[in-house]
């Protein structure tokens, strides 16, 4: 009986231990924030208050779309430094912080604490003038920033006039490329106002371009911008004048990165698993029952996203197995399916698709492999008409200056590089896109540029955006010009990411956890697996840095990222599969010299059927007109099956100038 009693007591203690352990490793969920009220409204401040929520350590405050402007353990907060006559929306997020077993858990409440209010308006006309963007420029290059205008008066002025009012250093010029100037404005000849003018609406932005020469003095100089506005609806007309001083730091051309002697590297870990994942999941996404994953361009979880055609040509070249050509062909057409493939959407829309859907490398490789002239045409259309391909010609430069446009600028650079490979002339603004892309990295990682903070230089940094920007810059460096700014910028970016963002579950840099951005979340490091889906998209720039420097630390970092990504990435979804195999092959090339050799079947011919799929014949025609070389004509293309000559696709239109010139 005593023995049994002891066992009973032991079991009770054991249960208590497991309950305690479970409690230590399972954080309670925070309650929802409720009754958010905004009061004490002035022209420049708002007071927020809310009811306390359960299981909450502190609260995060989000204003509009800027996350975590502040955090507090209180149930009230006064937001200051606001603009008059402006509507602000707030979200209060409850956070439960828990530590246990060397892991940190952060569980968030739902966004129920949401409210908005408008600050008081002024009784006179006024506006704010500010700026954002990069502030560091290398001698002999151009810099693009944004001038931000925020109107305070309830109605807008007729015009705002801009001018630079201070003396600039030698070799420096300033322009406003997004706004109009010239004699069409009735105040153009008024020396008090100037000719640069713009009609804003509420909060608006425009671009300021700063051009330097190779002889521009090094160091910091200031550009003082004056904005003068006249409001004609007021009686008498109101005139407001505002100034903003923009500090610009001029640097010399950077020196090449120091280079060490290359040493024998250890074998790449998890390489066989990477190969088996490539084959197994590549086959999964290519099965007939899964072809809906190729449907473009609504749902972006499909394998077409992140350039699936390029992915399958990567696999074709790596395995030298022709069966993967069938999968690559599905980006052009899908036999007996109602799904619309990527290339057809590009042609039907004349290349006018969103900037984050521009994938040209796979199409370029398809043209060089099979001579498929429609793939060539699709690349050219994307380079001419896609969302951000020609912002320098449409007074929209302001829209690409923020790092939130890193991806779109990167895709535009690569589209222009691919179009040039296909015989088009070099895009006249290609180098300006490179200047903007380097400006993104400057904003994110250049800690000497005010007002950016060393530990949190921008509202949020997304390493996979940095990876795409780095890919575009590396291609420009290797294919066009060995711009010395590029290696330095990529090195600075990835060394910062490694130091501050690895292990962050929001970014995929999942080696350890060290997040010191929020004082209420404490320090680290604390180990965490996190999200590894983007590791293989992020690591190739580190491999490239290794080829330039011979520094083995980049291989050590990359191999850790590689192992975590290969073992843990979720490849069952097409988007994630394409992200992982988009350019991880380049890491093998830069690390171990394994370079892809294009595989072309001996019988490959675009206009003849092969063992891999049934090609489609293209019939081009126009009504009552015989085209001449150089003419710009819109044709209709009808796709017909070679063996039956039956119509298998509807008609679509696209300009055929390039094709006529080629023939």
């Amino acid at each position: 009986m005593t023995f049994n009693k002891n066992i009973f007591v032991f079991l009770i203690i054991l249960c208590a231990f497991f309950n305690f352990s479970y409690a230590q490793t399972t954080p309670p969920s925070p309650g929802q924030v409720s009754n958010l009220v905004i009061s004490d409204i002035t022209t420049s401040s708002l007071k927020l208050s809310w009811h306390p929520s359960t299981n909450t350590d502190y609260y995060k405050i989000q204003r509009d779309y800027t996350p975590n402007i502040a955090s507090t353990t209180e149930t009230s907060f006064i937001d200051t430094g606001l603009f008059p006559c402006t509507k602000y929306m707030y979200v209060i997020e409850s956070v439960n912080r828990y530590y246990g077993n060397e892991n940190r858990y952060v569980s968030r409440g739902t966004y129920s604490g949401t409210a908005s209010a408008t600050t008081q308006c002024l009784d006179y006309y006024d506006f704010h003038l500010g700026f954002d963007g990069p502030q560091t420029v290398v001698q002999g290059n151009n810099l693009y920033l944004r001038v931000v205008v925020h109107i305070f008066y309830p109605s807008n002025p007729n015009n705002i006039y801009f001018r630079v009012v201070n003396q600039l250093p030698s070799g420096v010029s300033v322009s406003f490329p997004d706004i109009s100037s010239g004699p069409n404005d009735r105040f153009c000849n008024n020396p008090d106002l100037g000719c640069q003018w713009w009609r804003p609406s509420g909060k608006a932005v425009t671009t300021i371009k700063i051009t330097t020469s190779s002889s521009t003095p090094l160091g910091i100089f200031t550009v003082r911008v004056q904005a003068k506005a006249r409001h004609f609806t007021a009686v008498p007309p109101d005139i407001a004048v505002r100034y903003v001083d923009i500090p610009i730091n001029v640097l010399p051309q950077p020196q090449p990165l120091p280079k060490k002697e290359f040493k024998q590297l250890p074998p790449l870990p998890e390489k066989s698993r990477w190969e088996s994942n490539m084959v197994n999941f590549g086959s999964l996404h290519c099965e007939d029952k899964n072809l809906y994953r190729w449907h473009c361009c609504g749902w972006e979880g499909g394998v077409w996203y992140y350039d699936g055609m390029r992915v399958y040509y990567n696999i074709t070249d790596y395995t030298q197995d022709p069966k993967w050509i069938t999968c690559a062909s599905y980006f052009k057409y899908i036999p007996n399916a109602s799904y619309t493939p990527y290339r057809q959407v590009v042609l039907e829309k004349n290349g006018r698709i969103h900037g984050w859907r521009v994938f040209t490398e796979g199409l370029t490789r398809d043209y060089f492999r099979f001579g498929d002239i429609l793939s060539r045409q699709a690349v050219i259309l994307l380079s001419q008409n896609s969302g951000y391909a020609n912002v320098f010609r449409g007074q929209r430069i302001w829209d690409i200056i923020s790092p939130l446009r890193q991806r779109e600028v990167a895709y535009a650079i690569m589209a222009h590089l691919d179009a040039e490979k296909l015989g088009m002339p070099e895009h006249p603004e290609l180098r300006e896109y490179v200047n903007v892309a380097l400006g993104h990295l400057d904003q994110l990682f250049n800690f000497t540029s005010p007002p950016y903070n060393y530990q949190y230089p921008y509202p949020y940094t997304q390493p996979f955006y940095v990876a795409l920007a780095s890919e575009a810059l590396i291609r420009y460096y290797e294919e066009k010009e060995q711009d010395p700014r590029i290696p330095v910028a990529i090195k600075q970016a990835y060394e910062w990411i490694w130091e501050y963002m690895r292990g962050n579950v929001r970014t995929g840099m999942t080696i350890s956890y060290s997040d010191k951005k929020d004082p209420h979340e404490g320090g680290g490091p604390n180990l965490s697996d996190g999200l590894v889906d983007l590791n293989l998209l992020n690591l190739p720039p580190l491999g490239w840095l290794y080829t330039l420097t011979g520094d083995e630390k980049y291989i050590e970092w990359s191999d850790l990222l590689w192992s975590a990504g290969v073992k843990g990435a979720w490849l069952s979804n097409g988007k994630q599969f394409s992200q992982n195999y988009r350019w991880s092959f380049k890491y093998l090339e830069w690390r171990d010299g394994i370079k892809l050799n294009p595989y072309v079947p001996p019988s490959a011919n675009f206009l003849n059927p092969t063992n891999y799929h049934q090609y489609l014949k293209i019939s081009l025609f126009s009504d009552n007109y015989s085209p001449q070389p150089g003419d710009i004509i819109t044709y209709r293309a009808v796709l017909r099956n070679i063996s039956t000559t039956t119509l298998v696709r509807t008609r679509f239109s696209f300009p055929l100038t390039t094709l006529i010139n080629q023939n």
Side-chain angles (χ1 to χ4, degrees), residues 21-28 57-58 95-108 513 521 526-528:
S21 298
Y22 180 76
Q24 289 295 305
T25 57
T26 306
D57 291 326
Y58 65 96
V95 180
N96 174 269
R97 182 184 66 242
Y98 188 88
Y99 292 90
N101 292 339
E102 296 185 344
N103 284 292
R104 188 188 76 164
Y105 297 89
V106 177
S107 179
R108 293 173 170 82
Y513 198 109
E521 292 187 3
N526 296 294
L527 299 179
S528 173

Side-chain angles (χ1 to χ4, degrees), residues 279-494:
V279 172
N280 294 335
F281 287 98
S283 298
L284 170 69
H285 296 299
C286 193
E287 293 176 357
D288 290 343
K289 64 181 180 181
N290 292 324
L291 290 184
Y292 72 91
R293 303 167 189 254
W294 304 70
H295 188 49
C296 174
C297 290
W299 180 58
E300 292 181 344
V303 72
W304 65 273
Y305 201 42
Y306 277 82
D307 204 347
M309 177 182 268
R310 170 184 176 180
V311 167
Y312 277 104
Y313 278 139
N314 286 339
I315 300 174
T316 301
D317 297 341
Y318 187 83
T319 63
Q320 295 288 294
D321 188 341
K323 73 178 183 180
W324 300 106
I325 296 177
T326 300
C327 306
S329 74
Y330 290 157
F331 294 90
K332 300 188 288 187
Y333 48 83
I334 304 175
N336 304 317
S338 60
Y339 309 119
T340 309
Y342 178 73
R343 189 182 72 176
Q344 181 176 333
V345 172
V346 172
L347 294 174
E348 288 178 349
K349 293 182 177 294
N350 204 29
R352 292 184 174 90
I353 66 173
H354 295 300
W356 60 87
R357 294 172 171 173
V358 177
F359 308 119
T360 55
E361 183 165 332
L363 292 164
T364 301
R365 289 162 69 174
D366 182 72
Y367 172 76
F368 283 120
R369 196 168 310 230
F370 296 111
D372 189 335
I373 204 165
L374 288 185
S375 292
R376 178 179 186 269
Q377 187 68 10
V379 172
I380 293 170
L381 291 174
L382 289 170
S383 71
Q384 295 172 342
N385 299 330
S386 59
Y388 292 86
N390 284 292
V391 294
F392 287 86
R393 305 179 191 182
Q395 296 184 338
R396 284 181 51 216
I397 305 174
W398 60 267
D399 195 19
I400 62 172
I401 292 174
S402 165
L404 297 178
R405 291 286 184 235
Q406 274 187 292
R407 174 178 53 181
E408 287 80 359
V409 170
Y411 288 170
I413 291 172
M414 289 187 277
H416 295 318
L417 290 172
D418 285 331
E420 189 174 345
K421 284 183 179 179
L422 296 173
M424 299 298 290
E426 178 181 318
H427 193 277
E429 285 86 38
L430 174 59
R431 202 170 193 281
E432 300 305 316
Y433 277 102
V434 171
N435 286 330
V436 171
L438 289 168
H440 292 155
L441 297 181
D442 178 60
Q443 291 176 76
L444 293 172
F445 306 110
N446 187 353
F447 316 127
T448 62
S449 292
Y452 305 115
N453 177 271
Y454 179 72
Q455 288 196 3
Y456 207 1
Y458 201 76
Y460 69 78
T461 301
Q462 296 175 286
F464 82 96
Y465 267 26
V466 180
L468 296 172
S470 298
E471 180 186 11
L473 291 171
I474 290 170
R475 281 196 56 188
Y476 182 84
Y477 184 91
E478 295 192 334
E479 297 175 16
K480 292 292 296 182
E481 173 194 7
Q482 292 192 356
D483 189 325
R485 298 175 296 169
I486 291 174
V488 173
I490 294 176
K491 176 180 183 293
Q492 187 179 41
Y494 272 91

Side-chain angles (χ1 to χ4, degrees), residues 522-554:
N526 296 294
L527 299 179
S528 173
D529 289 335
L531 177 68
V532 296
D533 295 344
L534 294 170
N535 277 20
L536 269 64
L537 188 71
N538 274 301
L539 63 84
L542 292 169
W544 185 70
L545 288 173
Y546 169 72
T547 66
L548 297 182
T549 65
D551 193 333
E552 294 178 44
K553 73 179 180 182
Y554 298 122

